[in-house]
Amino acid sequence: MRVLKTKAFARFARKAGLDDAALCNAVSDAERGLIDADLGGGVIKQRVARRGRGKSGGFRTVILYRRGTRAFFVFGFAKSDRANVSQDELVALKELASEMLAYDEAGIIRVIESGPLIEVTCNE
């Protein structure tokens, strides 16, 4: 399972205090079928706990996800900041999922090397 994050998401995660282990836990939950919200088109929403607090008071992450192969963290927000993604954002996320989930291994490596994606290290 390949787990990646966009540079924009990496900035959000750093400011929010979310480490790679928390992201790996969210993907691990999804792999076990524990998906908080399946938004369709390869887009899921997973809750991630704040440090020292539970998931309910934590963050929401939007992941472009294909079971068993890859997960791209692309968007994150605190529930206190906004309720959900808008319909327009969801349409854009589904288009992005269609493109990114179709990357082959060479394409992923190219995008990592050029900078927009960062690999998340999960110790499974």
Side-chain angles (χ1 to χ4, degrees), residues 56-102:
S56 64
F59 298 98
R60 305 310 183 246
T61 60
V62 176
I63 307 169
L64 311 181
Y65 175 73
R66 177 160 298 135
R67 185 182 188 107
T69 53
R70 59 186 62 123
F72 299 94
F73 284 86
V74 294
F75 187 59
F77 58 95
K79 186 178 177 188
S80 60
D81 292 342
R82 63 186 296 170
N84 211 342
V85 295
S86 71
Q87 274 306 117
D88 290 342
E89 289 169 326
L90 183 56
V91 168
L93 287 165
K94 286 180 179 181
E95 288 174 13
L96 185 61
S98 175
E99 178 184 325
M100 291 178 75
L101 292 172

Side-chain angles (χ1 to χ4, degrees), residues 12-23 48-59:
F12 160 78
R14 187 175 53 253
K15 288 178 185 176
L18 296 177
D19 59 14
D20 283 356
L23 304 181
V48 178
R50 288 181 195 258
R51 202 173 280 145
R53 300 174 101 187
K55 285 184 180 181
S56 64
F59 298 98

